[in-house]
Amino acid sequence: MEKSASERITSALFVVIVSLFFLLPIAWLFLAPFDGQPTYRLKLSDPSLNNFREMSQNPYAYRSLLNSAIFSAGTGLVIILIGAPAAYVLSRVKFKGRDVFLYFLLLFSSVVSGSAAMVPLFLLALRFNILDTYHGVIFILAGGLLPAAIFILKDFTDSLPRSYEESAKIFGASSFRILKDIVAPVIRPGLAVIFVWAFVQSWGNFLIPFIIIRDINKQPAAVMMYSFYTEAGDAVIRTVAAFGLLYTIPVLLMYFYVNRKYGFRFYGGIKG
Amino acid sequence: MVTEIKAGSRTDKSGNAVLRGGAASFFLSPATIIIIIFLVIPAFWTIYLGITNYRLTGFSAVDPEIIGLENFRRALSDPAFFNSLKVTFIFTIGSAILGQAVLGFFLAWILFGLSKRVRSTVEIIVIAAWMVPSSVVSFLWIAFLNGDVGTLNAILGSQTRWLIDYPLESIVVFNIWRGTAFSMLLFAAAVASIPKSHLEVARVAGASRGQQLRTIVLPAIRPYILTDILLITLWTFNDFGPYLITSGGPGQETELLAIFVYNNALRFLDFGYASSIAAIMLLINLILSLIVITTGKKRSQ
């Protein structure tokens, strides 16, 4: 595109300044874990892996990462197993009241936030005896993410031809078999993206486990990271640095996986 | 066989060929049940609790009473509530509308005119700020804004205690950093969808980038601007994230509504009062959502 010299310089300056604004706060995460004497300062002196060794001494560090994996994979699975069949029905069957159903699904999913509903969610967990349980957190997270997952999977299914399902139907396949053997393989890319999305959302979620989980053995990394830097003071900055990086890596890997395989742009709008 | 398939696809127009009614409801009900329990019931329960004096401790823990609008009356005479409302308002307008939407748009527009390599590099940096878990970015900002050796002070050559002297400004800037990626991606898609020929014509006619922006780009993406602003306003209004940086302090200077509800509910165990505030949040969410859905519908028609 043709641009005047002053336009070029303004653009370049803007891009450099904005990039620095986004880069500088995050740079610490990639330097401090390898710094022999980490402080709040952005630097890399005396490089070593001692911080990771120090972190490994903490009995709860790895445990909390495992807990995060359980919460996130559990939520992803529930979303797929429950959301995909629902999305399929909503895509293929024009039952009476479907549009009303979709309308209220959209409305409730945007109105009810974790912050606004935290009291009843806590009481619900108390009453159902799911405080301090894995499935308690998983179902609450799934409840919040399901509507968006259903909408995306429905759009995805809408774009697929029905001819395979119709043929299978004519040859006498049951509804369950059609879903399992014909639909699932075709919408697999959509399922993979939804799983990764639900995983990343749950992996980073702080509020729900913060409210529902009190037992330190079941706390996920989100809450553990917070306890490290609020409760223990400056002394544990080594642990915070190393743990922060380890906790972040899976999210970045998943992002690059989705970006390479399916292109992030299209799914850019999915974030709770 | 061929005729049968045709017949099949014809009956399918009414929607009954692929799935029988029984199977359809079997597939639909687990999702419906989960959504009712964890989304619909909590909404109505919040409103109900908002008109009770329910506490987790003391007499009303055993036998909560309905006290009507008492909690709302209390909120109207509670300076802490008005403080929280004001903080949330400044945070939302400042970080979402003036911050994320404006910065996201200019990023998308300027990157649109640059090479693919520059564009994807900058995009990755902006998206990284959005992907990293909130408890990690919170600590990164505590380090970045540290009064003694934080990166910001190192650059400015100052010793400002940002989180103590400018707490609200700090979380506004933090949230611009945190959330601009969404607006950038949305506007990038919007700008890319403008027919190339329109921009071409303007350029041949001698329009500068600024003129192209005003006469072609802004009118073309107006619906996206509205959608973007409504969505980020909704999310920012409900945000609990800054709690991880400031815990709502110092004092109550960064006590957003979400933090106000949390403190009243889970620290002071005053569930009735907390729920009445949460009910007000739900009402505001409802209004914003109805505008989003209505404008979205109009656009797709």
Side-chain angles (χ1 to χ4, degrees), chain A residues 28-213:
Chain A
W28 191 91
L29 183 62
F30 296 97
L31 296 184
F34 307 102
D35 191 309
Q37 304 293 329
T39 66
Y40 290 111
R41 193 190 294 276
L42 182 63
K43 66 185 173 64
L44 182 60
S45 56
D46 188 14
S48 81
L49 291 174
N50 283 339
N51 299 332
F52 292 93
R53 246 166 255 138
E54 170 107 15
M55 184 209 83
S56 303
Q57 306 288 313
N58 190 309
Y60 302 114
Y62 287 123
R63 174 86 221 177
S64 72
L65 287 168
L66 178 69
N67 291 335
S68 284
I70 296 172
F71 288 134
S72 309
T75 306
L77 280 177
V78 168
I79 296 267
I80 296 287
L81 291 176
I82 290 180
Y88 180 69
V89 169
L90 290 167
S91 169
R92 291 297 194 248
V93 187
K94 290 192 172 54
F95 60 87
K96 208 169 152 228
R98 187 186 68 158
D99 291 343
V100 178
F101 184 91
L102 287 170
Y103 183 83
F104 278 100
L105 197 61
L106 190 60
L107 193 64
F108 272 99
S109 69
S110 49
V111 170
V112 187
S113 63
S115 320
M118 71 174 96
V119 175
L121 286 176
F122 175 79
L123 293 176
L124 210 60
L126 192 68
R127 213 157 280 186
F128 285 171
N129 261 328
I130 53 171
L131 275 180
D132 265 336
T133 64
Y134 289 115
H135 55 279
V137 171
I138 288 173
F139 278 116
I140 292 176
L141 288 174
L145 299 174
L146 255 178
I150 289 175
F151 273 104
I152 295 155
L153 285 171
K154 176 187 169 293
D155 277 353
F156 194 86
T157 316
D158 283 344
S159 68
L160 299 171
R162 311 172 158 211
S163 42
Y164 294 126
E165 297 146 57
E166 283 157 6
S167 316
K169 179 82 191 172
I170 286 152
F171 284 108
S174 70
S175 300
F176 180 73
R177 260 202 83 189
I178 294 179
L179 196 65
K180 180 171 147 287
D181 292 338
I182 295 172
V183 180
V186 181
I187 66 167
R188 191 174 290 154
L191 294 180
V193 170
I194 291 299
F195 181 84
V196 170
W197 167 73
F199 192 99
V200 170
Q201 292 290 315
S202 317
W203 186 261
N205 190 292
F206 173 81
L207 184 60
I208 300 300
F210 187 55
I211 294 173
I212 303 298
I213 303 288

Side-chain angles (χ1 to χ4, degrees), chain B residues 126-188:
Chain B
V126 179
I127 291 170
W130 187 47
M131 300 289 296
V132 175
S134 51
S135 50
V136 176
V137 291
S138 299
F139 185 77
L140 289 175
W141 273 74
I142 290 173
F144 183 66
L145 298 177
N146 179 272
D148 300 319
V149 296
T151 313
L152 185 59
N153 280 327
I155 293 169
L156 300 174
S158 60
Q159 296 255 301
T160 311
R161 299 169 306 165
W162 298 102
L163 289 172
I164 295 166
D165 297 330
Y166 304 97
L168 186 52
E169 292 86 340
S170 295
I171 62 165
V172 165
V173 175
F174 158 75
N175 200 48
I176 295 172
W177 178 88
R178 174 69 162 155
T180 293
F182 175 80
S183 300
M184 178 190 74
L185 289 167
L186 193 140
F187 287 130

